[in-house]
Amino acid sequence: GQSLEQPSEVTAVEGAIVQINCTYQTSGFYGLSWYQQHDGGAPTFLSYNALDGLEETGRFSSFLSRSDSYGYLLLQELQMKDSASYFCAVRSPGGYQKVTFGTGTKLQVIP
Amino acid sequence: NAGVTQTPKFQVLKTGQSMTLQCAQDMNHNSMYWYRQDPGMGLRLIYYSASEGTTDKGEVPNGYNVSRLNKREFSLRLESAAPSQTSVYFCASSEEEGRGYTFGSGTRLTVV
């Protein structure tokens, strides 16, 4: 089966940097995605890592280590609007186990 | 572009009633998905369609049926609603299977 672990809640200060971790156990691995979801809204795709290393998109970066079955999302220069839930999702081969989502990390940005 | 459009946005059903959730995308994506989201459980896949004319069960398909009407439309049907199906339902599509999903705005369904 598949399992993903991420912290349930994280609090950070406006303007600071925050890292949201995700560890996974899967049968096979293609890639790790990150999604943002504001309260009452739909998930929005942020990034996808298939290879080891860091990928940067503006204030957001995503890192993957396949050997450690670990990834993280890094948010820099935090803004109040970054307060949301962040989900990691693993893409893996075989049947319906194509994408498994974590239970999400609720980020609260405080002034 | 509208992206992924879901209807209705809200629905209250009585136990045993049936309904169809509609989803349409205008991005020419091959893959479409139905997820449900419950508190503390993340998103769970109900059904997916890798391409027009094909559908497959996901993690939690019991009590649901789907139809991939054409490349744009993918509907989810509850034949006999149960309180356990109270949830938020999201339709999604992607150009490449399993990555870069675009989600609809969701349907908040309550079964009483």
Side-chain angles (χ1 to χ4, degrees), chain A residues 78-101:
Chain A
L78 279 172
Q79 302 176 7
M80 299 301 292
K81 67 178 182 180
D82 297 329
S83 293
S85 292
Y86 293 84
F87 294 87
C88 59
V90 166
R91 180 189 183 205
S92 55
Y96 66 82
Q97 301 280 7
K98 293 190 182 297
V99 175
T100 302
F101 282 82

Side-chain angles (χ1 to χ4, degrees), chain A residues 23-98:
Chain A
T23 57
Y24 58 87
Q25 290 185 325
T26 61
S27 302
F29 177 85
Y30 283 155
L32 183 71
S33 297
W34 288 94
Y35 289 83
Q36 178 193 59
Q37 185 179 29
H38 289 98
D39 284 347
T44 302
F45 173 71
L46 294 176
S47 66
Y48 179 79
N49 294 65
L51 303 175
D52 290 351
L54 187 70
E55 298 214 1
E56 299 179 50
T57 308
R59 295 187 297 114
F60 293 6
S61 302
S62 56
F63 172 83
L64 176 65
S65 169
R66 289 174 297 171
S67 61
D68 295 324
S69 297
Y70 164 74
Y72 65 72
L73 181 70
L74 191 73
L75 292 78
Q76 302 179 325
E77 301 172 14
L78 279 172
Q79 302 176 7
M80 299 301 292
K81 67 178 182 180
D82 297 329
S83 293
S85 292
Y86 293 84
F87 294 87
C88 59
V90 166
R91 180 189 183 205
S92 55
Y96 66 82
Q97 301 280 7
K98 293 190 182 297

Side-chain angles (χ1 to χ4, degrees), chain A residues 33 35 37 39-45 48 50 87 91 95-96 98-104, chain B residues 35 37 40-43 45 48 57-59 90 96-101 103-106 108:
Chain A
S33 297
Y35 289 83
Q37 185 179 29
D39 284 347
T44 302
F45 173 71
Y48 179 79
F87 294 87
R91 180 189 183 205
Y96 66 82
K98 293 190 182 297
V99 175
T100 302
F101 282 82
T103 54
Chain B
Y35 281 88
Q37 185 174 36
M41 301 194 72
L43 290 148
L45 182 65
Y48 72 98
K57 295 178 180 179
E59 182 184 358
F90 288 101
E96 183 177 346
E97 198 173 338
R99 61 175 289 184
Y101 291 176
F103 283 87
S105 57
R108 283 148 184 81

